[in-house]
Amino acid sequence: DTGVSQDPRHKITKRGQNVTFRCDPISEHNRLYWYRQTLGQGPEFLTYFQNEAQLEKSRLLSDRFSAERPKGSFSTLEIQRTEQGDSAMYLCASSAQPGQGDTGELFFGEGSRLTVL
Amino acid sequence: AQSVTQLGSHVSVSEGALVLLRCNYSSSVPPYLFWYVQYPNQGLQLLLKYTSAATLVKGINGFEAEFKKSETSFHLTKPSAHMSDAAEYFCAVRPSGTYKYIFGTGTRLKVLA
């Protein structure tokens, strides 16, 4: 078990460009979450998946943000037409389902830091 | 809406002193409660969790927390602070019947030599 991995760890882009982040959850974890964290703040919920189904998406999430988990394994988070306000750490986390090792907690990756110039 | 409140965005303690980080939640039904720690440029690591078993929960690195339903609190404590405890600490709630986790704004702990 290698834990939750995220790629890239750091991304610098110019305003208006598109960026994509990838998350590989712990194998056999069926739930996958995306959070955004800005300096001095706690993680802010963006969306989560159960297998390939996106079950909830934050109402605060702009239409420029889209997430997918096509095969129920890895997930991608794409931000289109980036703005300076998108600069943040994007955290991915995963958890197991009840009856299959669900201990209740989220397991986090180390995050992908986005800087929009 | 469910929420988590962490009182004190910054807490400073002397090495060897008691650590107390406060967390209150809003929920009519006892939820799952968690404390996570985050070191610079790293993801969040679970310290401990309450999942409706014992109200006094022991975690890693000597931390513990007590669930008090009457006060809707889940404060984090450690009897004796160590320099390596300096980090940011987040309280989180997973409301009963959901799989969405809500985090507080965090408390940055500074340990003074």
Side-chain angles (χ1 to χ4, degrees):
Chain A
D1 187 347
T2 57
V4 179
S5 63
Q6 294 187 243
D7 183 71
R9 293 291 311 280
H10 302 274
K11 178 71 176 179
I12 300 174
T13 191
K14 293 182 179 179
R15 188 177 56 187
Q17 298 295 305
N18 299 343
V19 297
T20 300
F21 300 113
R22 176 181 170 123
C23 172
D24 287 88
I26 293 172
S27 57
E28 85 263 1
H29 277 191
N30 71 328
R31 289 197 195 87
L32 186 149
Y33 298 74
W34 286 99
Y35 283 82
R36 176 171 60 190
Q37 186 179 24
T38 53
L39 198 62
Q41 298 297 315
E44 174 193 15
F45 172 80
L46 295 180
T47 188
Y48 92 93
F49 294 82
Q50 181 165 301
N51 299 314
E52 65 275 10
Q54 188 173 19
L55 295 190
E56 188 168 347
K57 184 175 176 180
S58 170
R59 285 170 288 183
L60 301 176
L61 204 58
S62 159
D63 289 344
R64 296 182 297 105
F65 288 71
S66 63
E68 294 183 340
R69 195 183 183 198
K71 298 181 179 178
S73 56
F74 73 92
S75 175
T76 57
L77 176 68
E78 181 183 18
I79 309 173
Q80 296 181 325
R81 304 181 303 282
T82 54
E83 302 173 356
Q84 289 185 325
D86 297 332
S87 295
M89 176 77 87
Y90 290 86
L91 297 168
C92 178
S94 67
S95 68
Q97 67 181 26
Q100 295 196 11
D102 179 15
T103 54
E105 76 258 32
L106 293 178
F107 295 82
F108 281 86
E110 296 199 332
S112 293
R113 182 171 296 283
L114 174 65
T115 301
V116 182
L117 302 176
Chain B
Q2 308 287 346
S3 68
V4 175
T5 302
Q6 291 186 241
L7 291 177
S9 58
H10 292 81
V11 170
S12 294
V13 300
S14 297
E15 190 173 21
L18 171 72
V19 175
L20 171 61
L21 304 182
R22 300 178 186 273
C23 173
N24 288 86
Y25 66 93
S26 67
S27 174
S28 57
V29 177
Y32 286 7
L33 292 159
F34 309 86
W35 276 99
Y36 282 84
V37 61
Q38 186 177 35
Y39 298 99
N41 298 314
Q42 294 188 23
L44 282 72
Q45 177 185 1
L46 181 71
L47 271 180
L48 49 79
K49 63 186 178 187
Y50 166 77
T51 57
S52 75
T55 56
L56 181 62
V57 181
K58 295 186 183 297
I60 62 172
N61 301 338
F63 284 94
E64 62 182 37
E66 185 173 8
F67 171 70
K68 291 187 177 180
K69 183 179 177 181
S70 61
E71 299 178 6
T72 60
S73 69
F74 191 56
H75 301 330
L76 181 71
T77 60
K78 182 175 180 177
S80 176
H82 191 272
M83 298 298 288
S84 61
D85 295 327
E88 186 134 26
Y89 292 80
F90 295 96
C91 183
V93 61
R94 176 180 138 185
S96 180
T98 77
Y99 292 100
K100 180 177 174 179
Y101 296 72
I102 301 164
F103 287 80
T105 53
T107 297
R108 183 168 296 279
L109 176 66
K110 186 175 182 179
V111 181
L112 307 172

